[in-house]
Amino acid sequence: MTNGNAAFTALWHPFLTGAIAWSESCLFLRARSGPIPVEIRPEQLECQQSFKPYADELKRTGWSTPGNLEKTYAIVLVLPPPQRDEARALFVRAMQQVREDGLVVVSMENSEGAKSGEKDLRALAPNIHSISKNKCRVFWASKKDVDENLMQSWGLLDVPRMIETTGFISRPGIFAWNRIDDASSLLTEYLPKDLSGSGADLGAGFGFLTHAILTQCENIKSMDVFEAEARALECARLNLAGFEKAVRIDYHWHDVAEGVQGPYDFVISNPPFHQGHDELKTLGQSFIESAARALKPGGRFYMVANRHLPYEATLKNNFSKTNVLAMKNGFKVFASIK
């Protein structure tokens, strides 16, 4: 279990105390792996997880994946995201997949909006109970008296849609979902227009960088789009569909830290450096190492990062030459050659 995942630990408390009777008919939305009560076996839980590193962890540790979208369950467990619209849509999905006599059981850290989450579930399904544990709230509700109007409107909150202010299709909860990230925007100013051949976008989000590069570079033959969040990758497919007649584009739900195949003529990236609350400098460093291994000799790597992150040594160790193209607005742009 990842350190700090208090909501996961608290989730099992009502089953341990007997407040809720366990059932082997269980769906776990946004599932994580970790220590669970001995009477509950991981293979009893049908799990859904859209973030690839967590999904891989579930698979490695013997948890059952994935859950069946067409099936209903006696218990639906939920670890909601902090983004409220995304969480509301997840509550709707949980209610859609729980049996009429079943329960939706939710755990949230107080610091991640537990109070608002409980309020939202109560609005959706007023027959609700709750307890406090480990600086978390665990709350559960049945389908009795569910608000059908909220079911309909909140169910649409996670549907990919055009964001008027950006011109891109996106959805709540993915990185910079309703804006153009400042770092990515800066990187596009320094991407050369002569890039050609085969390329890759590591940590592509909803596809902004790939869209920019395919718009300004005429001789690109193929792009591999790598993204760990499946919900973002779905948006990238929609945003890049218009280029697919001229360029071969392959989409990969993939943890870039595990490496990518290549070989590529160029790689672009605005690598993540947070996972949950934690700032992980090693995450961006692993992106750099993956890019270096995947490039052809002479291949080019373009990356943007927050100015305080110590990536220079990793770039020096993996590339024959690195230039700093810009240091502006708290960010730095690198160009490296293998």
Side-chain angles (χ1 to χ4, degrees):
M1 181 178 63
T2 302
N3 290 336
N5 194 9
F8 177 93
T9 302
L11 179 62
W12 311 103
H13 187 67
F15 300 103
L16 289 170
T17 61
I20 305 174
W22 177 251
S23 171
E24 293 185 6
S25 172
C26 182
L27 174 66
F28 193 177
L29 299 178
R30 299 294 166 84
R32 299 289 302 273
S33 68
I36 59 178
V38 293
E39 61 269 26
I40 301 174
R41 298 190 306 275
E43 61 269 20
Q44 294 175 341
L45 302 161
E46 296 187 38
C47 300
Q48 289 279 325
Q49 176 54 257
S50 60
F51 185 54
K52 193 63 162 63
Y54 295 165
D56 288 345
E57 182 183 15
L58 287 164
K59 186 175 180 180
R60 283 193 303 267
T61 52
W63 294 55
S64 175
T65 55
N68 189 333
L69 294 178
E70 305 301 323
K71 184 178 174 182
T72 57
Y73 300 81
I75 294 173
V76 179
L77 306 174
V78 187
L79 292 176
Q83 209 286 334
R84 195 169 188 179
D85 283 348
E86 183 188 358
R88 284 173 166 176
L90 196 63
F91 290 159
V92 169
R93 182 177 161 196
M95 283 293 167
Q96 290 170 337
Q97 292 207 244
V98 76
R99 295 175 185 169
E100 292 298 327
D101 59 348
L103 290 174
V104 171
V105 185
V106 181
S107 181
M108 298 181 73
E109 294 184 41
N110 294 335
S111 61
E112 291 282 357
K115 185 177 180 180
S116 295
E118 183 178 351
K119 179 180 178 180
D120 286 343
L121 187 62
R122 179 175 282 108
L124 187 65
N127 187 26
I128 192 171
H129 304 271
S130 67
I131 59 172
S132 295
K133 183 69 175 177
N134 296 346
K135 297 183 179 179
C136 300
R137 296 289 291 174
V138 184
F139 41 98
W140 57 95
S142 70
K143 265 188 172 176
K144 184 180 179 181
D145 300 325
V146 69
D147 188 320
E148 295 295 345
N149 290 327
L150 282 184
M151 286 283 287
Q152 183 174 1
S153 61
W154 286 4
L156 297 174
L157 292 174
D158 191 39
V159 175
R161 59 188 181 271
M162 181 64 68
I163 308 301
E164 292 184 6
T165 54
T166 68
F168 286 89
I169 294 170
S170 186
R171 68 205 310 177
I174 66 177
F175 176 67
W177 78 275
N178 59 354
R179 60 185 174 85
I180 302 301
D181 173 59
D182 289 340
S184 293
S185 180
L186 179 63
L187 178 56
T188 62
E189 296 178 22
Y190 292 90
L191 291 174
K193 293 181 173 57
D194 66 345
L195 291 175
S196 61
S198 61
D201 184 349
L202 307 186
F206 59 74
F208 171 74
L209 285 178
T210 293
H211 190 283
I213 211 166
L214 292 178
T215 298
Q216 66 185 37
C217 300
E218 299 179 352
N219 296 314
I220 295 175
K221 304 300 181 185
S222 66
M223 282 293 298
D224 280 349
V225 177
F226 293 91
E227 173 54 46
E229 176 51 64
R231 298 170 56 259
L233 191 64
E234 183 181 354
C235 295
R237 287 179 182 272
L238 297 171
N239 286 319
L240 300 174
F243 296 101
E244 291 178 355
K245 288 185 178 179
V247 179
R248 179 183 63 78
I249 305 177
D250 290 325
Y251 303 89
H252 306 270
W253 183 44
H254 185 72
D255 180 5
V256 170
E258 299 295 324
V260 298
Q261 290 296 314
Y264 300 111
D265 295 296
F266 66 91
V267 173
I268 57 175
S269 186
N270 176 6
F273 62 96
H274 278 96
Q275 192 160 293
H277 292 299
D278 300 324
E279 181 178 299
L280 300 177
K281 298 169 185 175
T282 56
L283 190 56
Q285 290 165 349
S286 68
F287 270 54
I288 295 169
E289 292 164 355
S290 293
R293 289 193 296 268
L295 280 165
K296 299 175 181 177
R300 293 184 278 178
F301 177 49
Y302 293 89
M303 184 187 81
V304 65
N306 285 54
R307 191 167 181 171
H308 74 279
L309 295 170
Y311 291 153
E312 286 80 358
T314 307
L315 288 164
K316 181 179 180 180
N317 291 337
N318 285 274
F319 292 92
S320 59
K321 182 180 180 181
T322 294
N323 291 323
V324 179
L325 301 182
M327 295 190 74
K328 186 188 300 185
N329 302 328
F331 305 108
K332 47 193 175 184
V333 178
F334 298 100
S336 301
I337 299 175
K338 183 172 179 177

